[in-house]
Amino acid sequence: MARPYYVTTPIYYVNDRPHIGHAYSTVAADVVSRYQRLRGNPTYFLTGLDEHGLKIERRAREEQLAPQDFVDRMAAPFRSAWEELDCAHDGFIRTTSAEHRQSVQAIWKMMKDRGDIYLDDYEDWYCVGCESFKTVKELLEGNLCAIHRTPVERIKERSYFFRLSNYTKPLLNHYEAHPDFVQPDARFNEVKSFVKEGLRDLSISRTSFRWGVPVLDDEEHVVYVWLDALTNYVSALGGPAPEGEAPLYDEFWTSAQTITHIVGKDILRFHAVYWPAFLLSAGVRVPSQIWAHGWLTVNGEKMSKSLGNFLPPGPLVEAFGADVLRYYLMREVGFGQDGDFSHRNLMARYNGELANGLGNLMNRIVASIVKRNLDGRVPSAGLDDLEDADRDLIDTAKAAAHEAAQHLEALAFHRALDTTWELVSAANKYVDSTEPWRLAKQGAKQRLEQVCYTVLETLRWLSIMLFPVMPNKCNELRGQIGMPPLLPTEGVDLWPSAWGGLRPGIETRAATPLFPRFDEAQERSILERLAVDSPGSDAK
Ligand code: MSP
């Protein structure tokens, strides 16, 4: 049965270049989409750019460019960052596209026809950094935005309003009926408390600048940039549209099994309160889940313009490769928690977990024992001759695959990797205790074959379980054990469940180590190249 899965990242403001925080959301969404594809589910992965609003208009002016020229120029680094990180999105939406503009106007009309839009005077505070209105309660002393710590602006103008106040009850009902609507739970509680206090109507148009989607039938106004931006999730699929007119929208929105929006914690309210309210008003289906991840600091410091420490992903990909960076991002910090990106921890995990753990397991068996003693071929091994140690490893593999799948379904990437690494460690311990080199020396051929087969088959399982996070390394690994690259196919579930898929007799192809260990000198030179202080003194 087809279970269409739609996963999205936030669309990024193009006022800055991509950094590791953006990469974090995008890699997470790519891992989700690769996992869903492996399970055979039709999957659509969307990312893109938020190109309107006052913030962008001002940045363009600073650069002395027309806004459209400015956003066109800034789009390229985002596209190439995701390509470098192997984030294989199906769609890349830009809010300045004509299709998007039509969708925004269509949603506006649907909300208006419902009687939820009216014209009034507006006076309040506005943070251009957040592109959001602020109540006095939300401000720091001196009228500063609590997120950006910059002064908010007083705005007084005629504006269209959305009757958000009418949606307090419907939203609370929706939350009640969908207890997983927001993840993690603690964040959901914050959202519920906010809504329970009662919602104020929301200003959804501006007249004091032009860089946005014109309001239908009143071109003096442009649509509020968040209403414009949130609509990207449906406009990218050709919606909102009557059934049959936009096949992608039918499949991945209206009748999708799951719609997951991955967002940072700072933009949860827009996604968990405003967006479902707009959709309820427009009579459009509401997404299944909003997943709010935490924020990353870099070597213990907040990334900020004033510190000039925005960490771009490019140089890290160059130094470590995309798969290693993806692995580190998904492994280091529990998804949903705040955490730190530390170059030194990345190096430690590389050497400890990838080189010494998985890489070592590969080398010991494929490049060494199998090559030297079994003619480089996958041996045959009967299930009847299993010993306890073999059975234990097989059971561990089955339990790990089952648990990792559950964690990936729940976007608990770090847990999925923990579980998978328990299998890597168990396999290394198995090699230590069964001592295949001794079996070879003793001429215990049958036992040697059984042991090697058990490890090779474990490696095959690992090549699937780790594929969503490290697609290239997993295909390299597969090549070395004589398996073809993984080719996810709709309707075919490739997740490992039955032991013994590796065919005896096929030739293994030991090649360069998957994760060559960095020695101290290499470590130092990489850190220097990345402009991180020498070991011992964390870059501050
Ligand atoms: N354009 C809006 C989103 C509109 S979605 C309909 C926006 N853009 S943004 O470029 O400012 O931020 C995009 C995402 O990057 C947010 O989810 C934000 O949480 C995330 N991050 C920005 N800095 C981050 C870190 N330091 N760490 C982790 N994620 C961070 O908001």
Side-chain angles (χ1 to χ4, degrees):
M1 195 189 62
R3 298 188 308 154
Y5 196 107
Y6 185 34
V7 60
T8 66
T9 71
I11 49 171
Y12 305 110
Y13 286 128
V14 286
N15 58 321
D16 277 314
R17 297 170 79 82
H19 60 62
I20 204 72
H22 304 134
Y24 189 51
S25 295
T26 314
V27 167
D30 187 62
V31 171
V32 170
S33 96
R34 286 180 188 273
Y35 169 74
Q36 290 297 333
R37 285 183 225 275
L38 267 187
R39 302 308 308 254
N41 294 324
T43 303
Y44 198 92
F45 164 22
L46 177 73
T47 188
L49 300 175
D50 193 348
E51 303 188 328
H52 286 138
L54 191 51
K55 175 154 65 176
I56 308 289
E57 193 186 65
R58 285 187 184 165
R59 273 286 285 134
R61 207 175 303 142
E62 275 167 37
E63 299 286 322
Q64 297 180 333
L65 286 172
Q68 190 64 53
D69 293 340
F70 172 70
V71 299
D72 286 346
R73 195 174 75 177
M74 295 299 283
F78 281 91
R79 279 187 190 279
S80 54
W82 308 150
E83 206 173 300
E84 277 169 22
L85 272 166
D86 276 313
C87 293
H89 47 76
D90 300 284
F92 189 91
I93 176 87
R94 295 182 54 188
T95 54
T96 49
S97 66
E99 297 76 13
H100 175 76
R101 169 194 295 239
Q102 277 169 14
S103 292
V104 172
Q105 292 181 332
I107 288 230
W108 180 284
K109 181 161 188 318
M110 290 156 99
M111 288 159 51
K112 189 173 171 205
D113 289 349
R114 178 62 67 95
D116 282 337
I117 293 182
Y118 62 94
L119 193 59
D120 206 346
D121 287 317
Y122 182 80
E123 181 167 2
D124 215 337
W125 299 104
Y126 192 82
C127 169
V128 180
C130 295
E131 292 283 14
S132 177
F133 305 96
K134 301 279 169 178
T135 58
V136 174
K137 237 170 64 183
E138 290 171 313
L139 300 179
L140 300 179
E141 224 184 278
N143 286 345
L144 299 183
C145 161
I147 295 172
H148 291 90
R149 293 177 191 266
T150 47
V152 290
E153 298 176 17
R154 190 76 185 161
I155 285 181
K156 190 173 176 204
E157 61 191 49
R158 199 116 175 101
S159 166
Y160 283 97
F161 281 80
F162 169 65
R163 292 187 199 282
L164 185 60
S165 56
N166 280 356
Y167 287 87
T168 306
K169 196 87 192 59
L171 282 173
L172 291 173
N173 289 343
H174 186 81
Y175 300 156
E176 175 122 14
H178 302 87
D180 295 328
F181 181 60
V182 173
Q183 283 294 308
D185 290 337
R187 298 249 169 246
F188 199 5
N189 290 336
E190 287 168 20
V191 168
K192 286 182 205 158
S193 312
F194 171 74
V195 175
K196 271 185 199 147
E197 279 182 23
L199 297 167
R200 294 193 313 161
D201 287 353
L202 183 71
S203 161
I204 52 165
S205 77
R206 302 289 304 275
T207 53
S208 53
F209 69 95
R210 302 302 316 144
W211 188 235
V213 175
V215 166
L216 209 62
D217 304 329
D218 193 349
E219 300 231 336
E220 215 187 301
H221 294 252
V222 294
V223 175
Y224 173 42
V225 67
W226 269 99
L227 171 52
D228 170 347
L230 288 160
T231 305
N232 90 88
Y233 300 127
V234 291
S235 73
L237 302 174
E243 201 182 335
E245 267 185 24
L248 278 178
Y249 178 69
D250 289 346
E251 182 175 11
F252 292 104
W253 194 272
T254 315
S255 48
Q257 166 90 13
T258 311
I259 299 172
T260 302
H261 293 318
I262 292 179
V263 301
K265 63 178 185 179
D266 54 317
I267 55 171
L268 178 58
R269 187 181 296 174
F270 299 99
H271 284 81
V273 181
Y274 300 172
W275 181 225
F278 296 154
L279 292 170
L280 288 171
S281 166
V284 172
R285 181 221 163 130
V286 171
S288 327
Q289 191 165 69
I290 316 292
W291 229 109
H293 65 68
W295 267 48
L296 300 178
T297 48
V298 172
N299 297 320
E301 295 264 358
K302 193 171 171 232
M303 279 189 288
S304 78
K305 254 211 184 107
S306 50
L307 289 172
N309 63 345
F310 280 110
L311 187 66
L316 292 161
V317 173
E318 230 171 80
F320 295 98
D323 286 44
V324 174
L325 181 57
R326 292 165 62 102
Y327 172 77
Y328 175 73
L329 286 173
M330 295 295 97
R331 181 78 202 259
E332 176 77 11
V333 181
F335 206 61
Q337 312 286 317
D338 288 333
D340 188 41
F341 181 102
S342 140
H343 289 84
R344 235 171 294 293
N345 286 352
L346 166 55
M347 196 68 90
R349 285 196 185 271
Y350 177 86
N351 272 339
E353 292 159 11
L354 297 174
N356 290 355
L358 181 59
N360 194 32
L361 181 64
M362 272 299 284
N363 290 348
R364 292 162 94 185
I365 292 298
V366 183
S368 171
I369 310 276
V370 173
K371 189 169 171 192
R372 291 200 197 122
N373 303 285
L374 298 175
D375 207 13
R377 289 186 185 276
V378 174
S380 61
L383 283 176
D384 299 339
D385 306 320
L386 294 178
E387 294 191 3
D388 282 351
D390 314 333
R391 254 181 244 111
D392 283 351
L393 185 59
I394 297 171
D395 288 347
T396 306
K398 287 187 176 163
H402 180 70
E403 273 174 39
Q406 284 178 326
H407 292 318
L408 286 169
E409 294 286 349
L411 277 66
F413 311 109
H414 58 298
R415 294 224 173 89
L417 289 170
D418 276 349
T419 306
T420 308
W421 244 260
E422 279 166 24
L423 176 58
V424 172
S425 307
N428 268 319
K429 281 197 193 115
Y430 171 84
V431 176
D432 294 341
S433 69
T434 52
E435 301 182 290
W437 47 89
R438 187 179 51 80
L439 298 171
K441 224 186 252 161
Q442 289 171 347
K445 183 128 192 288
Q446 204 185 343
R447 182 68 195 134
L448 175 68
E449 291 190 342
Q450 182 66 260
V451 166
C452 287
Y453 185 87
T454 307
V455 179
L456 288 170
E457 175 68 355
T458 303
L459 283 165
R460 185 183 73 85
W461 279 45
L462 287 168
S463 77
I464 306 170
M465 291 163 67
L466 288 169
F467 183 80
V469 176
M470 295 191 284
N472 294 307
K473 290 290 176 187
C474 285
N475 277 338
E476 262 181 60
L477 188 164
R478 291 174 69 80
Q480 297 200 25
I481 60 172
M483 294 295 292
L486 272 176
L487 273 185
T489 310
E490 257 180 45
V492 183
D493 185 357
L494 295 176
W495 199 251
S497 62
W499 190 257
L502 196 61
R503 265 187 307 112
I506 51 173
E507 207 173 331
T508 65
R509 272 168 276 143
T512 46
L514 276 185
F515 302 104
R517 216 190 130 77
F518 295 134
D519 60 28
E520 258 180 49
Q522 283 168 315
E523 248 182 58
R524 214 170 310 120
S525 105
I526 292 176
L527 292 176
E528 262 164 32
R529 238 185 306 141
L530 294 170
V532 184
D533 289 353
S534 59
S537 64
D538 252 329
K540 289 274 161 173

